[in-house]
Amino acid sequence: MRIDIITIFPEMFESPFNHSIIKRAKDKNLVEIHLHQLRDYSVNKHKHVDDYPFGGGAGMVMMIEPISKCIDSLKAERDYDEIIYTSPDGEVLSQKVANRLTLYNNIILLCGHYKGIDERIREHYITSEISIGDYVLSGGELAACVITDAVIRLLPGVLNDETSALSDSFQDNLLSPPVYTRPYEFNGLKVPDILLSGNDKLINQWKHEQSLQRTQQRRPDLLK
Ligand code: SAH
C-alpha cells in the first residue's frame, strides 16, 4: 500500500512514522508513505498557501491552486483509489472504515489547516472525507497519523501475531476482553483462575463472555 500525505507540516509526521508498528511496516516494505510539502506547490513567491475568505469572517482558507497542483502531479504518476480530506464534518473513523482502506493500493490524505480548504477542492478532487471524532483539531496532521496507524496495523504481515488485530476491540463489534500477565499474584491481586486452566475451549468461552459483558456495559450501541 502507498499513502501520499499532503501537508504544510511534514515534520509533524517524523516521530509517529518512525516508531513502533508503522516503522516496522515501512521496514518490511508493506507500506510506503510519502510526505508532500504543500508550500512547494505554491504559486506565489512567498510560498503562501492560504488567503482571506471571500465574504469575510475570521480565519484564513487554504487556496485551491497549490492543492490542485499537488494532487494533479500525484495523479499523473499513478491512479489513486481514494483522495481523502481529513475534516471534522467527514465520515467518523471507525474500525470498519479502517478495514475498507486496507483494500486500497494508493491513497492520498490531504491535511487541512486554518479555517479549512477552498470548497471547490472538496467538490472536484476529494473522493471521501474522514473525521477522527466530534472535536476540532488545529490541523489534519494528527488525524492523518491516526488514520494511517489504524490502517497500517491491519495490513497482512504487519503485526507479528496476525490474529492479534482480529481479537482487538471493534473488529467484530465487540470490545476486547481484559488481559493479564505475570505475576499471577501481586499484593493479593490474582489473575482469574480460568486463564491458567490450560483448557483453550473454556478460556475462549470466558473471553467471549467478558467481551460481551464489557460491550453491554460500556458500548451497548455496538450490539445493535
Ligand atoms: N472550520 C472547520 C475546522 C477547521 S480545523 C470546521 O469548523 O469544520 C483545520 C483543519 O484541521 C481542517 O481543515 C481539517 O483538515 C483538520 N481537522 C480538524 N478537526 C478534525 C477532525 N475531527 N478530524 C479530522 N480532521 C480534522
Side-chain angles (χ1 to χ4, degrees):
M1 181 177 197
R2 175 183 167 118
I3 304 176
D4 288 278
I5 300 179
I6 304 173
T7 169
I8 53 171
F9 292 114
E11 304 80 17
M12 282 184 73
F13 295 87
E14 272 164 25
S15 180
F17 287 179
N18 285 305
H19 292 92
S20 184
I21 305 288
I22 299 187
K23 179 180 189 317
R24 199 200 297 165
K26 288 197 308 179
D27 290 348
K28 286 192 194 169
N29 293 321
L30 296 168
V31 69
E32 264 182 53
I33 304 176
H34 297 267
L35 298 167
H36 305 278
Q37 170 55 272
L38 184 63
R39 292 190 192 286
D40 294 344
Y41 299 84
S42 171
V43 287
N44 72 43
K45 67 173 191 287
H46 299 294
K47 299 270 172 213
H48 285 163
V49 292
D50 59 309
D51 208 337
Y52 293 97
F54 275 120
M60 302 297 275
V61 175
M62 290 175 85
M63 299 157 81
I64 189 167
E65 291 114 311
I67 300 175
S68 78
K69 265 177 76 183
C70 183
I71 293 177
D72 285 343
S73 78
L74 290 171
K75 279 167 75 174
E77 298 290 323
R78 67 196 64 76
D79 289 332
Y80 284 92
D81 301 288
E82 291 265 20
I83 301 175
I84 300 165
Y85 174 49
T86 57
S87 183
D89 57 8
E91 177 180 13
V92 178
L93 182 65
S94 62
Q95 199 65 12
K96 201 173 119 205
V97 172
N99 277 314
R100 187 182 82 219
L101 296 182
T102 63
L103 303 176
Y104 298 143
N105 294 321
N106 301 312
I107 60 170
I108 293 176
L109 291 175
L110 170 62
C111 305
H113 245 276
Y114 316 112
K115 270 301 196 190
I117 63 173
D118 190 301
E119 187 69 16
R120 289 167 289 182
I121 289 286
R122 300 177 69 169
E123 285 169 358
H124 300 289
Y125 285 82
I126 299 300
T127 60
S128 71
E129 304 189 324
I130 298 180
S131 162
I132 63 161
D134 289 345
Y135 39 80
V136 176
L137 302 164
S138 318
E141 285 72 17
L142 294 174
C145 284
V146 170
I147 296 165
T148 304
D149 186 293
V151 172
I152 288 181
R153 63 195 306 287
L154 294 172
L155 296 176
V158 169
L159 296 185
N160 278 341
D161 176 2
E162 283 205 40
T163 56
S164 100
L166 294 176
S167 63
D168 278 339
S169 290
F170 308 113
Q171 204 58 31
D172 48 8
N173 272 342
L174 288 177
L175 299 179
S176 201
V179 290
Y180 301 86
T181 186
R182 287 185 287 188
Y184 166 69
E185 186 176 340
F186 175 75
N187 290 348
L189 303 173
K190 288 185 186 160
V191 169
D193 284 325
I194 180 91
L195 295 175
L196 288 91
S197 68
N199 184 329
D200 284 343
K201 198 173 157 222
L202 286 181
I203 291 174
N204 287 334
Q205 204 179 319
W206 178 86
K207 285 184 180 172
H208 184 71
E209 282 160 12
Q210 292 289 317
S211 279
L212 212 55
Q213 205 177 312
R214 192 161 275 211
T215 312
Q216 258 149 9
Q217 280 165 354
R218 299 182 184 204
R219 292 293 305 276
D221 57 298
L222 292 176
L223 297 170
K224 281 180 198 135

